[in-house]
Amino acid sequence: TESIQELHDLAKRFPNDPVIRYHYATTLATAEQNSAAIAELEVCLKLKPDYGMARAIYGDLLQAVGREADGIREARSAVELSPGDPWIRIGLIALLQRCGRIEEAMTELKEAKTIIRADQQNESTVIQQLEMSLGSKISEDGPNSPAGIQQ
């Protein structure tokens, strides 16, 4: 497709850019060109070995082509590289489930839920702080100021 060709051209133009390589690989994977996507991710991960999301996708693709143990190993490595990212852990859970490793998937699910709850709490705290800050700004400037105008 056109996007594959454009990303191929970008990868040739910027061969040492792991982000371009990652996007090229994921586009290839979406087009079910798994072998080519795996090769691109291998280049990407040589350039940036700690790229957690790239390693997670690499694990999924390895499992998809029948390399289950390698896929799980790479997905676990992705979680280690990005321990606070629930989406990478959810990817590992899905991979473990596809491989029939339900108990391991359940253990990972518990950790993912803990991370998501903590993220929600942090987001709620930030929102409350912003509301308090904006509320004090409205009090200072009055209800007709730009900060106090209701939409």
Side-chain angles (χ1 to χ4, degrees):
T1 66
E2 187 176 319
S3 59
I4 290 175
Q5 186 59 50
E6 289 173 4
L7 286 164
H8 177 269
D9 294 346
L10 276 173
K12 280 190 164 212
R13 188 170 172 203
F14 303 102
N16 297 319
D17 186 324
V19 175
I20 290 172
R21 295 292 192 156
Y22 169 79
H23 286 291
Y24 182 32
T26 58
T27 302
L28 289 166
T30 301
E32 298 183 12
Q33 296 181 30
N34 290 348
S35 295
I38 288 169
E40 276 304 309
L41 284 168
E42 287 170 349
V43 172
C44 172
L45 291 167
K46 282 181 186 167
L47 295 168
K48 187 168 175 51
D50 62 344
Y51 197 158
M53 186 56 79
R55 198 160 293 282
I57 300 297
Y58 183 54
D60 272 348
L61 289 171
L62 290 174
Q63 185 270 327
V65 299
R67 294 173 56 191
E68 183 177 297
D70 292 335
I72 291 170
R73 185 189 69 247
E74 291 297 332
R76 287 193 187 285
S77 178
V79 168
E80 289 173 16
L81 291 168
S82 305
D85 186 330
W87 299 109
I88 289 178
R89 192 172 301 269
I90 288 168
L92 172 61
I93 294 165
L95 193 152
L96 289 168
Q97 184 179 16
R98 287 192 306 272
C99 295
R101 295 170 77 159
I102 304 305
E103 286 184 33
E104 292 173 70
M106 293 298 292
T107 300
E108 294 296 336
L109 179 59
K110 288 177 188 172
E111 185 61 29
K113 287 167 60 175
T114 300
I115 293 166
I116 290 169
R117 283 187 198 115
D119 285 349
Q120 289 173 336
Q121 181 60 43
N122 291 338
E123 290 168 4
S124 292
T125 301
V126 169
I127 289 169
Q128 288 171 350
Q129 290 170 344
L130 288 170
E131 287 174 338
M132 288 173 42
S133 173
L134 289 171
S136 66
K137 181 69 175 159
I138 292 169
S139 296
E140 291 172 11
D141 296 345
N144 294 324
S145 70
I149 296 174
Q150 300 293 318
Q151 293 187 3

